[in-house]
mmCIF file of all heavy atoms in Angstrom:
data_model
loop_
_atom_site.group_PDB
_atom_site.id
_atom_site.type_symbol
_atom_site.label_atom_id
_atom_site.label_comp_id
_atom_site.label_asym_id
_atom_site.label_seq_id
_atom_site.Cartn_x
_atom_site.Cartn_y
_atom_site.Cartn_z
ATOM 1 N N PRO E 410 80.630 125.009 100.813
ATOM 2 C CA PRO E 410 80.595 123.543 100.798
ATOM 3 C C PRO E 410 79.509 122.976 99.892
ATOM 4 O O PRO E 410 79.675 121.919 99.286
ATOM 5 C CB PRO E 410 80.334 123.182 102.262
ATOM 6 C CG PRO E 410 80.875 124.336 103.028
ATOM 7 C CD PRO E 410 80.565 125.541 102.180
ATOM 8 N N GLY E 411 78.373 123.698 99.779
ATOM 9 C CA GLY E 411 77.309 123.232 98.887
ATOM 10 C C GLY E 411 77.748 123.236 97.439
ATOM 11 O O GLY E 411 77.450 122.305 96.682
ATOM 12 N N CYS E 412 78.464 124.297 97.046
ATOM 13 C CA CYS E 412 78.970 124.355 95.666
ATOM 14 C C CYS E 412 79.984 123.251 95.417
ATOM 15 O O CYS E 412 80.004 122.623 94.348
ATOM 16 C CB CYS E 412 79.604 125.718 95.412
ATOM 17 S SG CYS E 412 78.441 127.087 95.443
ATOM 18 N N GLY E 413 80.829 122.979 96.446
ATOM 19 C CA GLY E 413 81.801 121.896 96.306
ATOM 20 C C GLY E 413 81.129 120.542 96.178
ATOM 21 O O GLY E 413 81.536 119.698 95.365
ATOM 22 N N ALA E 414 80.069 120.316 96.965
ATOM 23 C CA ALA E 414 79.333 119.053 96.896
ATOM 24 C C ALA E 414 78.687 118.881 95.524
ATOM 25 O O ALA E 414 78.699 117.792 94.941
ATOM 26 C CB ALA E 414 78.274 119.003 97.993
ATOM 27 N N LEU E 415 78.113 119.985 94.991
ATOM 28 C CA LEU E 415 77.493 119.925 93.671
ATOM 29 C C LEU E 415 78.530 119.611 92.591
ATOM 30 O O LEU E 415 78.278 118.810 91.679
ATOM 31 C CB LEU E 415 76.800 121.249 93.364
ATOM 32 C CG LEU E 415 76.076 121.346 92.011
ATOM 33 C CD1 LEU E 415 74.968 120.300 91.925
ATOM 34 C CD2 LEU E 415 75.516 122.740 91.796
ATOM 35 N N LEU E 416 79.716 120.219 92.698
ATOM 36 C CA LEU E 416 80.775 119.973 91.725
ATOM 37 C C LEU E 416 81.233 118.523 91.753
ATOM 38 O O LEU E 416 81.386 117.886 90.699
ATOM 39 C CB LEU E 416 81.952 120.904 91.999
ATOM 40 C CG LEU E 416 83.182 120.743 91.078
ATOM 41 C CD1 LEU E 416 82.795 121.019 89.634
ATOM 42 C CD2 LEU E 416 84.309 121.659 91.534
ATOM 43 N N LEU E 417 81.432 117.979 92.955
ATOM 44 C CA LEU E 417 81.867 116.582 93.063
ATOM 45 C C LEU E 417 80.783 115.622 92.553
ATOM 46 O O LEU E 417 81.074 114.627 91.892
ATOM 47 C CB LEU E 417 82.224 116.253 94.507
ATOM 48 C CG LEU E 417 83.483 116.916 95.063
ATOM 49 C CD1 LEU E 417 83.699 116.507 96.515
ATOM 50 C CD2 LEU E 417 84.708 116.540 94.233
ATOM 51 N N ALA E 418 79.520 115.917 92.860
ATOM 52 C CA ALA E 418 78.431 115.054 92.409
ATOM 53 C C ALA E 418 78.316 115.059 90.886
ATOM 54 O O ALA E 418 78.120 114.007 90.252
ATOM 55 C CB ALA E 418 77.115 115.503 93.046
ATOM 56 N N CYS E 419 78.450 116.238 90.271
ATOM 57 C CA CYS E 419 78.396 116.320 88.814
ATOM 58 C C CYS E 419 79.569 115.586 88.174
ATOM 59 O O CYS E 419 79.423 114.905 87.149
ATOM 60 C CB CYS E 419 78.381 117.783 88.374
ATOM 61 S SG CYS E 419 76.856 118.663 88.780
ATOM 62 N N THR E 420 80.758 115.723 88.779
ATOM 63 C CA THR E 420 81.932 115.017 88.265
ATOM 64 C C THR E 420 81.725 113.517 88.311
ATOM 65 O O THR E 420 82.056 112.790 87.370
ATOM 66 C CB THR E 420 83.186 115.401 89.077
ATOM 67 O OG1 THR E 420 83.374 116.814 89.022
ATOM 68 C CG2 THR E 420 84.413 114.707 88.539
ATOM 69 N N SER E 421 81.150 113.029 89.404
ATOM 70 C CA SER E 421 80.880 111.598 89.533
ATOM 71 C C SER E 421 79.892 111.122 88.466
ATOM 72 O O SER E 421 80.079 110.065 87.853
ATOM 73 C CB SER E 421 80.335 111.297 90.928
ATOM 74 O OG SER E 421 80.010 109.923 91.065
ATOM 75 N N CYS E 422 78.847 111.928 88.229
ATOM 76 C CA CYS E 422 77.838 111.542 87.228
ATOM 77 C C CYS E 422 78.402 111.549 85.814
ATOM 78 O O CYS E 422 78.008 110.728 84.976
ATOM 79 C CB CYS E 422 76.642 112.481 87.314
ATOM 80 S SG CYS E 422 75.663 112.296 88.818
ATOM 81 N N LEU E 423 79.310 112.476 85.527
ATOM 82 C CA LEU E 423 79.862 112.617 84.178
ATOM 83 C C LEU E 423 81.112 111.776 83.953
ATOM 84 O O LEU E 423 81.673 111.795 82.866
ATOM 85 C CB LEU E 423 80.179 114.086 83.893
ATOM 86 C CG LEU E 423 78.973 115.035 83.861
ATOM 87 C CD1 LEU E 423 79.443 116.472 83.699
ATOM 88 C CD2 LEU E 423 78.020 114.650 82.733
ATOM 89 N N LEU E 424 81.530 111.039 84.983
ATOM 90 C CA LEU E 424 82.762 110.272 84.873
ATOM 91 C C LEU E 424 82.673 109.214 83.779
ATOM 92 O O LEU E 424 83.635 108.979 83.038
ATOM 93 C CB LEU E 424 83.073 109.613 86.219
ATOM 94 C CG LEU E 424 84.460 109.012 86.380
ATOM 95 C CD1 LEU E 424 85.537 110.059 86.175
ATOM 96 C CD2 LEU E 424 84.606 108.361 87.758
ATOM 97 N N GLY E 425 81.509 108.576 83.660
ATOM 98 C CA GLY E 425 81.343 107.560 82.620
ATOM 99 C C GLY E 425 81.506 108.139 81.231
ATOM 100 O O GLY E 425 82.115 107.515 80.355
ATOM 101 N N VAL E 426 80.955 109.345 80.993
ATOM 102 C CA VAL E 426 81.091 109.989 79.686
ATOM 103 C C VAL E 426 82.556 110.304 79.398
ATOM 104 O O VAL E 426 83.052 110.109 78.284
ATOM 105 C CB VAL E 426 80.252 111.277 79.641
ATOM 106 C CG1 VAL E 426 80.451 112.010 78.314
ATOM 107 C CG2 VAL E 426 78.772 110.954 79.869
ATOM 108 N N PHE E 427 83.275 110.759 80.424
ATOM 109 C CA PHE E 427 84.698 111.055 80.255
ATOM 110 C C PHE E 427 85.485 109.795 79.900
ATOM 111 O O PHE E 427 86.336 109.806 79.005
ATOM 112 C CB PHE E 427 85.250 111.673 81.540
ATOM 113 C CG PHE E 427 86.757 111.719 81.581
ATOM 114 C CD1 PHE E 427 87.452 112.644 80.816
ATOM 115 C CD2 PHE E 427 87.464 110.818 82.365
ATOM 116 C CE1 PHE E 427 88.844 112.671 80.841
ATOM 117 C CE2 PHE E 427 88.847 110.846 82.405
ATOM 118 C CZ PHE E 427 89.540 111.778 81.633
ATOM 119 N N ILE E 428 85.191 108.682 80.573
ATOM 120 C CA ILE E 428 85.921 107.439 80.318
ATOM 121 C C ILE E 428 85.668 106.953 78.899
ATOM 122 O O ILE E 428 86.574 106.455 78.218
ATOM 123 C CB ILE E 428 85.534 106.368 81.351
ATOM 124 C CG1 ILE E 428 86.062 106.776 82.735
ATOM 125 C CG2 ILE E 428 86.076 105.012 80.969
ATOM 126 C CD1 ILE E 428 85.661 105.834 83.848
ATOM 127 N N VAL E 429 84.426 107.089 78.423
ATOM 128 C CA VAL E 429 84.119 106.679 77.052
ATOM 129 C C VAL E 429 85.000 107.424 76.056
ATOM 130 O O VAL E 429 85.568 106.838 75.127
ATOM 131 C CB VAL E 429 82.627 106.914 76.745
ATOM 132 C CG1 VAL E 429 82.362 106.763 75.248
ATOM 133 C CG2 VAL E 429 81.765 105.931 77.511
ATOM 134 N N HIS E 430 85.125 108.728 76.213
ATOM 135 C CA HIS E 430 85.946 109.514 75.287
ATOM 136 C C HIS E 430 87.435 109.255 75.484
ATOM 137 O O HIS E 430 88.216 109.310 74.533
ATOM 138 C CB HIS E 430 85.637 111.011 75.467
ATOM 139 C CG HIS E 430 84.359 111.448 74.825
ATOM 140 N ND1 HIS E 430 83.129 111.212 75.396
ATOM 141 C CD2 HIS E 430 84.126 112.087 73.654
ATOM 142 C CE1 HIS E 430 82.176 111.687 74.613
ATOM 143 N NE2 HIS E 430 82.752 112.239 73.553
ATOM 144 N N ALA E 431 87.842 108.943 76.730
ATOM 145 C CA ALA E 431 89.264 108.757 77.012
ATOM 146 C C ALA E 431 89.770 107.390 76.579
ATOM 147 O O ALA E 431 90.933 107.247 76.184
ATOM 148 C CB ALA E 431 89.521 108.946 78.505
ATOM 149 N N ASP E 432 88.910 106.369 76.620
ATOM 150 C CA ASP E 432 89.374 104.994 76.407
ATOM 151 C C ASP E 432 88.782 104.305 75.184
ATOM 152 O O ASP E 432 89.385 103.358 74.665
ATOM 153 C CB ASP E 432 89.035 104.139 77.634
ATOM 154 C CG ASP E 432 89.989 104.390 78.784
ATOM 155 O OD1 ASP E 432 91.061 104.975 78.546
ATOM 156 O OD2 ASP E 432 89.658 104.010 79.918
ATOM 157 N N CYS E 433 87.609 104.726 74.747
ATOM 158 C CA CYS E 433 86.886 103.967 73.724
ATOM 159 C C CYS E 433 86.959 104.696 72.393
ATOM 160 O O CYS E 433 86.026 105.415 72.011
ATOM 161 C CB CYS E 433 85.432 103.758 74.150
ATOM 162 S SG CYS E 433 85.275 103.046 75.818
ATOM 163 N N PHE E 434 88.064 104.519 71.683
ATOM 164 C CA PHE E 434 88.235 105.200 70.409
ATOM 165 C C PHE E 434 88.918 104.283 69.410
ATOM 166 O O PHE E 434 89.522 103.271 69.771
ATOM 167 C CB PHE E 434 89.038 106.501 70.580
ATOM 168 C CG PHE E 434 90.379 106.330 71.243
ATOM 169 C CD1 PHE E 434 91.520 106.105 70.496
ATOM 170 C CD2 PHE E 434 90.483 106.401 72.628
ATOM 171 C CE1 PHE E 434 92.751 105.949 71.111
ATOM 172 C CE2 PHE E 434 91.712 106.258 73.258
ATOM 173 C CZ PHE E 434 92.849 106.027 72.491
ATOM 174 N N LEU E 435 88.779 104.634 68.148
ATOM 175 C CA LEU E 435 89.291 103.837 67.034
ATOM 176 C C LEU E 435 90.488 104.543 66.417
ATOM 177 O O LEU E 435 90.460 105.759 66.195
ATOM 178 C CB LEU E 435 88.187 103.650 65.985
ATOM 179 C CG LEU E 435 88.528 102.839 64.730
ATOM 180 C CD1 LEU E 435 88.739 101.367 65.087
ATOM 181 C CD2 LEU E 435 87.407 102.966 63.694
ATOM 182 N N MET E 436 91.539 103.772 66.126
ATOM 183 C CA MET E 436 92.743 104.338 65.533
ATOM 184 C C MET E 436 93.068 103.645 64.217
ATOM 185 O O MET E 436 92.807 102.455 64.050
ATOM 186 C CB MET E 436 93.951 104.190 66.473
ATOM 187 C CG MET E 436 93.842 104.948 67.778
ATOM 188 S SD MET E 436 95.362 104.828 68.765
ATOM 189 C CE MET E 436 96.433 105.976 67.862
ATOM 190 N N ARG E 437 93.607 104.437 63.292
ATOM 191 C CA ARG E 437 94.264 103.870 62.110
ATOM 192 C C ARG E 437 95.726 104.279 62.223
ATOM 193 O O ARG E 437 96.064 105.457 62.152
ATOM 194 C CB ARG E 437 93.652 104.397 60.814
ATOM 195 C CG ARG E 437 94.317 103.789 59.571
ATOM 196 C CD ARG E 437 93.719 104.335 58.295
ATOM 197 N NE ARG E 437 92.308 103.986 58.145
ATOM 198 C CZ ARG E 437 91.884 102.803 57.717
ATOM 199 N NH1 ARG E 437 92.757 101.853 57.409
ATOM 200 N NH2 ARG E 437 90.600 102.566 57.612
#
Side-chain angles (χ1 to χ4, degrees):
C412 294
L415 181 61
L416 178 61
L417 291 179
C419 291
T420 302
S421 178
C422 291
L423 296 175
L424 192 59
V426 176
F427 167 74
I428 292 176
V429 168
H430 283 78
D432 283 344
C433 308
F434 55 91
L435 180 69
M436 296 185 76
R437 181 181 296 280

